[in-house]
Amino acid sequence: MISMFKRGLIISSLALTSLGVTGCSSDPAPVEATQLSGSKEFLSLIEDARRYVRQGDLVEAGKAYDEARKIEPENPGLWVDIARLRFLGGENLTAIEAADYALELQPTYGPALLLRAQMVRDANGMEEALAWFESANLAAPNNPEVLGEYAATLGDLGYNRDMLLAVRDLTQFAPDNGQALFLQAVLAARGDKPAVAARLLERSRYLQNEVPAARMLNAIINLQQGNYDTAANILDVLAEEQPAKMRAQELLAKAWWLGGRDDLIAQRFGETAKRPGASSYLVMLVGRSLERAGNRVAAIPFIERANSLSNGSSFVLTSEGDLPAPTSQLRSLVAAGNLGGARSVAAGVVRQFPQSGDAYSLAGDVALASGQPLEAIEAYRVSAQVRRSWPLTRKLVAAMLEAGEGDAAKALLSRYIKGDPQNLDALMVLARISAQDADWLRVAVLLDTAIAQGAGSDPTALALRAKAARELGNEEDAAQADALFGNLVPKPFL
């Protein structure tokens, strides 16, 4: 087996796995993306509806779309707009139905294919979405939005050569397109050319428009150039603005770690690392920073917890959507041991938001906390129809393991990794589960992949890689992993 440890120590590799370039938000494309045809009265109503959407008045927008539907009920563009409106309003499941109906009316309708590609990417992963993007490109050739989303998806899959070809096509038809320049900046950063990346990012105007993904890339470029304090300042603001987004927090902790700011890591993330939902990477960094600062006693619980989190343990009652009040209430009820009350509240949330993927995710969390893994699996699977994020996938894996469905859990993880191959946490969870089954060859392959993408600074990954190597009789790889592990672990304090 070819060792890939050295590649795993490159800072840019670790940082860039934290940059998702598929779109600039989690929502589908804006309603203005679809150019509709129809009668004058119909188009006037569509224009009114879209204006209401921009103003945030979804109720009035819905009324205008209802009036437009009376005039042209089988206009596929109308149903694409309705799907987007429903998605914005949290009616995720009926949004999917509307998008499907648009394709039923016109199977080769480009905007509907694009929207469905985005939905498939959210629910089933990037790999399965590629065919949809390719169909959208055939239906609407040389469409900048389709090419941009397709290129970004290829990039997040790690298909950099294919991404480059798609970006070149986009640049040919839209040379000043901001997304094209931004994607070129991403490719330059991945090629360890931070100066080129910085110039392209500046030209994209994404930074001036304060696009979060561009600000994240700017931080990564500064990390590559060794400007750790500058990167940390950027990431600090991003983490404050998006407290539910783990990527910015992890990169901020990484920037402080590289800059030797152990005090700031413990100060900022000490409490966060104790909460449900904290990633094993962030918990480990808190532990290692305490250890490096000389507080080994305080470090041990964090390091032990990081190891247990890498073993597929669940993240209970974490919401990615717009249901903070129910989430807080349910967390309090579960913490107080009132599982019956929590189940009642969760059922009420589902009744109130029957089309929301987040509502079903919360119901699954309560079922899992109540010792009902099969019920949790059913709820999580409904939520996954909308968006199969990593936190949701991890909880579903935990429920499957608790229900004794280990093979199903591994199959789900394998499918997830295929659609998000740069997710280090997913690779680590599957590696640890495989280690429990003594599938050491699989463990070695998974960890080599993770280390090549940046996990070479994770002591847990290196320790498990050394064990896998010894189980496979490969002492050379074991010694290499041990050496890297020894370089990471601080020497005992006297």
Side-chain angles (χ1 to χ4, degrees), residues 36-56:
L36 298 185
S37 59
S39 67
K40 185 176 180 180
E41 183 182 2
F42 171 81
L43 292 177
S44 177
L45 285 166
I46 295 297
E47 185 178 341
D48 289 343
R50 290 179 171 182
R51 185 177 68 254
Y52 285 129
V53 170
R54 290 193 297 271
Q55 295 170 353

Side-chain angles (χ1 to χ4, degrees), residues 38-116:
S39 67
K40 185 176 180 180
E41 183 182 2
F42 171 81
L43 292 177
S44 177
L45 285 166
I46 295 297
E47 185 178 341
D48 289 343
R50 290 179 171 182
R51 185 177 68 254
Y52 285 129
V53 170
R54 290 193 297 271
Q55 295 170 353
D57 192 342
L58 303 189
V59 173
E60 287 302 317
K63 291 177 181 178
Y65 281 128
D66 283 342
E67 290 300 313
R69 187 168 55 175
K70 292 176 184 177
I71 299 172
E72 295 191 24
E74 295 188 348
N75 188 310
L78 166 67
W79 285 98
V80 169
D81 269 32
I82 290 173
R84 289 171 174 152
L85 177 69
R86 289 176 177 176
F87 195 97
L88 289 171
E91 298 179 8
N92 311 129
L93 300 177
T94 54
I96 295 172
E97 292 175 0
D100 284 341
Y101 185 57
L103 286 173
E104 183 180 324
L105 292 170
Q106 188 175 331
T108 58
Y109 188 57
L113 287 166
L114 172 60
L115 179 58
R116 204 65 183 91

Side-chain angles (χ1 to χ4, degrees), residues 258-298:
L258 291 171
R261 301 306 305 270
D262 299 313
D263 55 332
L264 292 179
I265 295 174
Q267 229 173 42
R268 174 69 169 271
F269 298 113
E271 289 303 314
T272 301
K274 297 175 184 177
R275 297 173 190 161
S279 72
S280 58
Y281 178 77
L282 184 62
V283 177
M284 180 64 78
L285 264 185
V286 171
R288 292 302 176 189
S289 66
L290 287 167
E291 187 176 44
R292 192 167 67 177
N295 196 347
R296 302 182 74 192
V297 173

Side-chain angles (χ1 to χ4, degrees), residues 155-331:
D156 276 352
L157 279 166
Y159 301 161
N160 290 338
R161 184 184 297 272
D162 292 332
M163 177 188 179
L164 177 60
L165 294 175
V167 169
R168 284 175 177 169
D169 287 342
L170 176 57
T171 304
Q172 179 181 350
F173 297 108
D176 297 322
N177 181 279
Q179 189 177 20
L181 293 166
F182 172 70
L183 293 174
Q184 289 179 72
V186 171
L187 284 169
R190 286 180 177 169
D192 202 23
K193 299 176 181 177
V196 176
R199 288 197 297 272
L200 289 165
L201 181 59
E202 180 71 21
R203 286 179 55 201
S204 75
R205 306 288 303 173
Y206 272 27
L207 265 184
Q208 293 88 329
N209 293 330
E210 298 190 342
V211 176
R215 293 158 67 192
M216 179 76 81
L217 178 58
N218 189 29
I220 290 169
I221 291 169
N222 276 284
L223 280 176
Q224 289 178 311
Q225 294 175 321
N227 302 324
Y228 304 135
D229 288 342
T230 300
N233 290 337
I234 298 168
L235 292 163
D236 197 5
V237 176
L238 277 174
E240 286 287 350
E241 291 175 354
Q242 303 176 1
K245 300 293 185 183
M246 194 63 69
R247 284 173 173 169
Q249 294 188 49
E250 289 180 344
L251 267 185
L252 173 58
K254 180 66 177 179
W256 279 338
W257 170 267
L258 291 171
R261 301 306 305 270
D262 299 313
D263 55 332
L264 292 179
I265 295 174
Q267 229 173 42
R268 174 69 169 271
F269 298 113
E271 289 303 314
T272 301
K274 297 175 184 177
R275 297 173 190 161
S279 72
S280 58
Y281 178 77
L282 184 62
V283 177
M284 180 64 78
L285 264 185
V286 171
R288 292 302 176 189
S289 66
L290 287 167
E291 187 176 44
R292 192 167 67 177
N295 196 347
R296 302 182 74 192
V297 173
I300 289 172
F302 289 100
I303 295 171
E304 290 180 344
R305 181 163 187 261
N307 290 332
S308 68
L309 287 175
S310 295
N311 197 21
S313 58
S314 60
F315 292 161
V316 177
L317 297 174
T318 56
S319 175
E320 299 172 81
D322 300 320
L323 300 169
T327 303
S328 177
Q329 183 183 8
L330 287 169
R331 185 179 290 121

